[in-house]
Amino acid sequence: MMGIKISNMITEEKIQKRTQEIGTALSEKFKDDTSPLVVISVLKGSFIFYSDLIRQIDLDFGCEFLGVASYHANVKSSGEVKMTLDLATPIEGKNVVLVEDIVDTGLTMQYLLSYLKARHPKSITTVTLLHKPEATQVQCPLDYIGFSISNEFVVGYGLDYQGYFRNLPYIGKIENLN
Ligand code: 5GP
Protein backbone atom coordinates (compact mmCIF):
# COMPACT_ATOMS: atom_id res chain seq x y z
CA MET A 1 0.00 0.00 0.00
CA MET A 2 1.36 3.39 -1.00
CA GLY A 3 2.74 5.67 1.70
CA ILE A 4 2.48 3.24 4.58
CA LYS A 5 5.56 2.62 6.71
CA ILE A 6 5.83 -0.58 8.72
CA SER A 7 8.39 -1.24 11.43
CA ASN A 8 9.51 -4.74 12.34
CA MET A 9 8.25 -5.56 15.88
CA ILE A 10 8.64 -9.33 16.04
CA THR A 11 11.10 -10.97 13.67
CA GLU A 12 10.54 -14.07 11.60
CA GLU A 13 13.16 -15.91 13.68
CA LYS A 14 11.43 -15.10 16.97
CA ILE A 15 8.06 -16.18 15.59
CA GLN A 16 9.48 -19.48 14.32
CA LYS A 17 11.18 -20.23 17.65
CA ARG A 18 8.03 -19.51 19.68
CA THR A 19 5.87 -21.48 17.23
CA GLN A 20 8.16 -24.47 17.65
CA GLU A 21 7.91 -24.22 21.46
CA ILE A 22 4.11 -24.13 21.36
CA GLY A 23 4.00 -27.03 18.88
CA THR A 24 6.22 -29.11 21.16
CA ALA A 25 4.07 -28.25 24.20
CA LEU A 26 0.91 -29.28 22.35
CA SER A 27 2.51 -32.54 21.23
CA GLU A 28 3.41 -33.31 24.86
CA LYS A 29 -0.03 -32.35 26.13
CA PHE A 30 -1.93 -34.74 23.85
CA LYS A 31 0.58 -37.53 23.20
CA ASP A 32 -1.06 -40.04 25.60
CA ASP A 33 -4.66 -38.99 24.95
CA THR A 34 -6.53 -41.51 22.82
CA SER A 35 -9.46 -39.21 21.92
CA PRO A 36 -9.37 -37.66 18.44
CA LEU A 37 -7.62 -34.33 18.15
CA VAL A 38 -8.71 -31.51 15.88
CA VAL A 39 -6.77 -28.28 15.37
CA ILE A 40 -8.90 -25.35 14.23
CA SER A 41 -7.66 -22.28 12.39
CA VAL A 42 -9.66 -19.08 12.84
CA LEU A 43 -9.67 -17.43 9.43
CA LYS A 44 -8.46 -15.34 7.98
CA GLY A 45 -5.85 -13.99 10.38
CA SER A 46 -4.44 -17.23 11.80
CA PHE A 47 -3.80 -19.09 8.54
CA ILE A 48 -0.06 -18.44 8.36
CA PHE A 49 0.62 -19.05 12.06
CA TYR A 50 -1.61 -22.15 11.85
CA SER A 51 0.25 -23.62 8.89
CA ASP A 52 3.59 -23.19 10.68
CA LEU A 53 2.23 -24.41 14.03
CA ILE A 54 0.61 -27.63 12.79
CA ARG A 55 3.91 -28.70 11.21
CA GLN A 56 5.42 -28.56 14.72
CA ILE A 57 2.81 -30.89 16.21
CA ASP A 58 4.05 -34.45 16.06
CA LEU A 59 0.69 -36.24 16.41
CA ASP A 60 -2.24 -37.39 14.28
CA PHE A 61 -4.98 -34.79 14.09
CA GLY A 62 -7.64 -33.32 11.84
CA CYS A 63 -7.50 -29.79 10.42
CA GLU A 64 -10.59 -27.60 10.57
CA PHE A 65 -11.33 -23.99 9.72
CA LEU A 66 -13.71 -21.42 11.18
CA GLY A 67 -14.23 -18.10 9.49
CA VAL A 68 -14.99 -14.96 11.47
CA ALA A 69 -14.96 -11.30 10.59
CA SER A 70 -14.94 -8.78 13.39
CA TYR A 71 -13.02 -5.76 12.16
CA HIS A 72 -14.79 -4.87 8.93
CA ALA A 73 -11.75 -3.22 7.32
CA ASN A 74 -11.24 -0.90 10.27
CA VAL A 75 -8.63 -0.76 13.02
CA LYS A 76 -11.13 -0.70 15.89
CA SER A 77 -12.94 -3.85 17.00
CA SER A 78 -16.65 -3.57 16.40
CA GLY A 79 -17.43 -6.12 19.09
CA GLU A 80 -19.70 -7.89 16.64
CA VAL A 81 -18.57 -11.23 15.34
CA LYS A 82 -19.83 -12.50 12.03
CA MET A 83 -19.29 -16.15 11.16
CA THR A 84 -18.18 -16.51 7.54
CA LEU A 85 -17.27 -20.21 7.52
CA ASP A 86 -18.59 -23.04 9.69
CA LEU A 87 -16.82 -26.24 10.77
CA ALA A 88 -17.02 -29.01 8.18
CA THR A 89 -16.99 -31.95 10.65
CA PRO A 90 -18.43 -32.54 14.15
CA ILE A 91 -16.15 -31.92 17.15
CA GLU A 92 -18.23 -33.79 19.74
CA GLY A 93 -16.02 -35.83 22.08
CA LYS A 94 -12.81 -34.53 20.48
CA ASN A 95 -9.92 -32.59 21.95
CA VAL A 96 -10.04 -29.22 20.22
CA VAL A 97 -7.14 -26.81 19.79
CA LEU A 98 -8.34 -23.38 18.72
CA VAL A 99 -5.70 -21.27 16.95
CA GLU A 100 -6.20 -17.48 16.85
CA ASP A 101 -3.97 -14.77 15.43
CA ILE A 102 -4.60 -12.14 18.09
CA VAL A 103 -6.75 -11.62 21.16
CA ASP A 104 -7.56 -7.95 21.51
CA THR A 105 -10.80 -7.20 23.43
CA GLY A 106 -11.43 -10.94 23.81
CA LEU A 107 -14.92 -10.67 22.29
CA THR A 108 -14.10 -12.89 19.29
CA MET A 109 -12.53 -15.54 21.52
CA GLN A 110 -15.50 -15.42 23.89
CA TYR A 111 -17.88 -15.91 20.96
CA LEU A 112 -15.82 -18.78 19.54
CA LEU A 113 -15.56 -20.54 22.89
CA SER A 114 -19.31 -20.53 23.42
CA TYR A 115 -19.82 -21.65 19.81
CA LEU A 116 -17.43 -24.58 20.33
CA LYS A 117 -18.70 -25.52 23.82
CA ALA A 118 -22.23 -25.86 22.42
CA ARG A 119 -20.87 -28.64 20.19
CA HIS A 120 -19.67 -30.69 23.19
CA PRO A 121 -15.97 -31.32 22.54
CA LYS A 122 -14.02 -33.30 25.15
CA SER A 123 -11.72 -30.34 25.78
CA ILE A 124 -10.81 -26.95 24.33
CA THR A 125 -7.24 -25.62 24.33
CA THR A 126 -6.73 -22.06 23.16
CA VAL A 127 -3.65 -20.78 21.34
CA THR A 128 -3.08 -17.23 20.21
CA LEU A 129 -0.02 -15.87 18.47
CA LEU A 130 -0.54 -12.41 19.96
CA HIS A 131 -2.30 -11.01 23.00
CA LYS A 132 -2.99 -7.38 23.92
CA PRO A 133 -3.54 -7.56 27.71
CA GLU A 134 -4.27 -3.82 27.97
CA ALA A 135 -7.19 -4.11 25.54
CA THR A 136 -9.02 -6.89 27.39
CA GLN A 137 -12.76 -6.36 27.82
CA VAL A 138 -13.69 -9.97 28.53
CA GLN A 139 -11.36 -12.50 30.15
CA CYS A 140 -10.95 -15.73 28.20
CA PRO A 141 -8.77 -18.69 29.13
CA LEU A 142 -5.64 -18.49 26.94
CA ASP A 143 -3.55 -21.64 27.29
CA TYR A 144 -0.68 -20.72 24.96
CA ILE A 145 0.29 -17.17 24.04
CA GLY A 146 2.98 -16.51 21.45
CA PHE A 147 3.71 -12.93 22.44
CA SER A 148 2.02 -10.30 24.61
CA ILE A 149 2.14 -6.88 22.96
CA SER A 150 1.08 -3.35 23.86
CA ASN A 151 -2.21 -1.91 22.66
CA GLU A 152 -1.11 -1.06 19.11
CA PHE A 153 -2.38 -2.10 15.70
CA VAL A 154 -0.11 -4.69 14.10
CA VAL A 155 0.09 -6.34 10.69
CA GLY A 156 1.93 -9.17 8.97
CA TYR A 157 2.27 -12.94 9.33
CA GLY A 158 -1.44 -13.32 8.52
CA LEU A 159 -2.70 -10.08 10.07
CA ASP A 160 -4.03 -7.42 7.71
CA TYR A 161 -4.71 -3.75 7.35
CA GLN A 162 -7.60 -3.27 4.93
CA GLY A 163 -6.91 -6.69 3.47
CA TYR A 164 -3.20 -6.15 2.87
CA PHE A 165 0.11 -7.03 4.56
CA ARG A 166 -0.88 -10.61 5.46
CA ASN A 167 2.13 -11.83 3.48
CA LEU A 168 4.79 -10.04 5.56
CA PRO A 169 7.00 -12.72 7.15
CA TYR A 170 7.25 -10.70 10.40
CA ILE A 171 4.87 -8.82 12.72
CA GLY A 172 5.05 -5.09 12.19
CA LYS A 173 3.50 -1.89 13.36
CA ILE A 174 2.14 0.73 11.00
CA GLU A 175 4.15 3.84 11.81
CA ASN A 176 1.99 6.46 10.17
CA LEU A 177 -1.57 5.36 10.93
CA ASN A 178 -3.89 8.22 11.85
P1 5GP B 1 -11.16 -9.03 19.57
O1 5GP B 1 -12.50 -9.63 19.33
O2 5GP B 1 -10.32 -9.80 20.57
O3 5GP B 1 -11.25 -7.58 19.93
O4 5GP B 1 -10.40 -8.99 18.21
C1 5GP B 1 -9.95 -10.12 17.60
C2 5GP B 1 -9.77 -9.89 16.12
O5 5GP B 1 -9.56 -8.51 15.80
C3 5GP B 1 -8.53 -10.61 15.66
O6 5GP B 1 -8.83 -11.93 15.29
C4 5GP B 1 -8.10 -9.75 14.49
O7 5GP B 1 -8.76 -10.14 13.33
C5 5GP B 1 -8.54 -8.36 14.87
N1 5GP B 1 -7.44 -7.56 15.46
C6 5GP B 1 -7.31 -7.18 16.74
N2 5GP B 1 -6.19 -6.46 16.94
C7 5GP B 1 -5.60 -6.39 15.73
C8 5GP B 1 -4.37 -5.78 15.27
O8 5GP B 1 -3.58 -5.17 16.00
N3 5GP B 1 -4.09 -5.95 13.95
C9 5GP B 1 -4.91 -6.63 13.10
N4 5GP B 1 -4.53 -6.70 11.83
N5 5GP B 1 -6.06 -7.20 13.49
C10 5GP B 1 -6.39 -7.09 14.80
Side-chain angles (χ1 to χ4, degrees):
M1 275 176 105
M2 292 262 290
I4 291 194
K5 271 184 68 181
I6 296 169
S7 60
N8 192 332
M9 251 177 81
I10 308 173
T11 62
E12 208 176 341
E13 290 73 24
K14 278 193 183 154
I15 297 170
Q16 294 311 325
K17 185 171 174 280
R18 189 70 190 113
T19 302
Q20 201 165 15
E21 287 168 2
I22 297 172
T24 303
L26 288 168
S27 307
E28 273 298 306
K29 177 168 180 167
F30 292 109
K31 74 177 188 326
D32 298 323
D33 196 317
T34 52
S35 301
L37 178 64
V38 57
V39 186
I40 303 176
S41 167
V42 183
L43 299 174
K44 296 178 189 167
S46 85
F47 79 111
I48 298 202
F49 174 49
Y50 178 84
S51 65
D52 283 341
L53 180 66
I54 59 168
R55 284 176 286 175
Q56 302 296 334
I57 305 174
D58 190 19
L59 300 169
D60 292 326
F61 56 88
C63 294
E64 276 294 330
F65 301 88
L66 267 178
V68 293
S70 60
Y71 255 58
H72 306 295
N74 212 330
V75 295
K76 278 230 176 83
S77 183
S78 62
E80 281 171 44
V81 181
K82 186 177 141 205
M83 187 146 292
T84 57
L85 179 71
D86 206 343
L87 293 172
T89 55
I91 56 166
E92 188 170 347
K94 298 180 184 173
N95 289 312
V96 167
V97 176
L98 183 67
V99 182
E100 258 286 23
D101 54 351
I102 185 162
V103 175
D104 183 16
T105 61
L107 291 164
T108 306
M109 183 59 96
Q110 183 185 50
Y111 174 87
L112 290 170
L113 286 174
S114 66
Y115 172 90
L116 293 174
K117 275 181 196 154
R119 278 147 189 85
H120 309 293
K122 180 182 171 190
S123 70
I124 304 175
T125 301
T126 57
V127 181
T128 186
L129 174 64
L130 301 171
H131 180 221
K132 292 182 185 172
E134 292 160 24
T136 305
Q137 283 178 26
V138 287
Q139 293 285 352
C140 293
L142 301 176
D143 298 300
Y144 300 95
I145 296 170
F147 303 92
S148 287
I149 60 169
S150 56
N151 199 0
E152 293 171 305
F153 191 77
V154 293
V155 294
Y157 198 67
L159 291 127
D160 76 310
Y161 173 60
Q162 299 193 346
Y164 294 100
F165 304 118
R166 294 192 196 273
N167 56 321
L168 294 178
Y170 54 86
I171 306 280
K173 197 177 93 182
I174 300 182
E175 287 298 331
N176 51 347
L177 193 66
N178 298 314

